[in-house]
Amino acid sequence: AAGMTTSLQEGRVVTLPSVGLFADGAAVKTVGQETFRVCSRLVDEMVTVDTDQICNAIKLSYNDARVVLEPAGALAVAGMKKWVEQNEITGQTLVAITSGANMDFDRLRFVSERADGSERTLAVTIPETPGSFRALYSLIWPRNVTEFSYRYESDGDAHVLISFQPVMNIENDFEGIINSIRENGFGCLDATQNELAKGHVRHLAGGRSSVP
């Protein structure tokens, strides 16, 4: 829980102003005094993971053990996976304690969409003129475009969200695409780690249309 991470850093129980609700089992603003006391004595390190990493852990657990974990139940797997990658751990046996399968069917669609860590999301501004999207896509091709969100607003600029999968065996492929887009005169912002953009703005791309 983010509340426990902050409290351990401060050496006292801290109340957070807000918490994310995806892993609702760990979404507490203020942790309990007894839980904090135990963690202060026994916990060596806290690992923070994001929504995509939790979704990837749910997918990993299903593929490996055919169990469907709820987001909070998959925190241990997500944290262990991140810790192993950060510390380049190999040749060891590690244990993640998982609990909780309070997962409804509708949420699985969201988890499936966010579990693919290979996808990258850009917010791009292009002219509202014929051929602009083709010019943008020519800079990304032959990479697989997985999403293109856009709504007509005016005859000026078009604001779009586009997601694609960089080529994994090409070093700095994603960064190269961003540079190429900007060099061709398109405004470009990396929204891959922007939770607001991926969870909400992608469904509102273009804003309110002013078409009469």
Side-chain angles (χ1 to χ4, degrees):
M4 182 61 74
T5 300
T6 304
S7 296
L8 291 176
Q9 291 173 345
E10 295 291 331
R12 60 183 177 85
V13 174
V14 176
T15 299
L16 300 179
S18 62
V19 291
L21 296 179
F22 179 63
D24 51 2
V28 291
K29 293 182 179 180
T30 307
V31 299
Q33 289 287 349
E34 179 62 13
T35 307
F36 174 73
R37 184 189 68 82
V38 173
C39 289
S40 296
R41 293 182 55 190
L42 302 178
V43 173
D44 296 318
E45 181 182 355
M46 297 289 285
V47 179
T48 299
V49 294
D50 58 26
T51 298
D52 289 355
Q53 290 168 325
I54 295 173
C55 291
N56 183 263
I58 295 173
K59 178 181 178 181
L60 180 66
S61 300
Y62 176 78
N63 289 341
D64 185 68
R66 285 300 186 266
V67 295
V68 180
L69 297 171
E70 66 178 78
L75 283 174
V77 177
M80 182 177 69
K81 186 172 183 289
K82 180 178 179 179
W83 187 81
V84 167
E85 293 172 351
Q86 287 181 335
N87 294 277
E88 300 180 351
I89 303 298
T90 58
Q92 297 186 26
T93 299
L94 306 174
V95 177
I97 300 176
T98 62
S99 63
N102 184 22
M103 174 70 76
D104 60 75
F105 190 80
D106 292 335
R107 180 175 273 193
L108 285 175
R109 179 170 53 186
F110 175 86
V111 171
S112 177
E113 180 180 296
R114 297 289 293 272
D116 186 0
S118 66
E119 185 181 80
R120 298 292 183 268
T121 302
L122 297 177
V124 184
T125 301
I126 62 177
E128 186 62 82
T129 56
S132 292
F133 172 65
R134 183 173 182 177
L136 172 62
Y137 180 66
S138 68
L139 302 173
I140 299 175
W141 185 87
R143 296 155 190 85
N144 182 34
V145 174
T146 57
E147 179 179 8
F148 180 78
S149 299
Y150 156 77
R151 181 184 301 161
Y152 176 82
E153 180 185 13
S154 67
D155 292 332
D157 293 327
H159 305 286
V160 302
L161 279 178
I162 186 167
S163 300
F164 65 96
Q165 295 170 316
V167 179
M168 302 306 294
N169 59 357
I170 297 180
E171 186 176 0
N172 297 323
D173 183 59
F174 178 58
E175 292 76 8
I177 291 298
I178 292 179
N179 292 335
S180 179
I181 291 174
R182 289 171 177 167
E183 288 171 359
N184 280 269
F186 298 133
C188 180
L189 177 67
D190 181 9
T192 303
Q193 301 301 326
N194 190 314
E195 187 62 33
L196 180 62
K198 293 193 294 184
H200 300 282
V201 177
R202 73 193 313 168
H203 305 296
L204 306 170
R208 178 177 297 176
S209 176
S210 60
V211 179

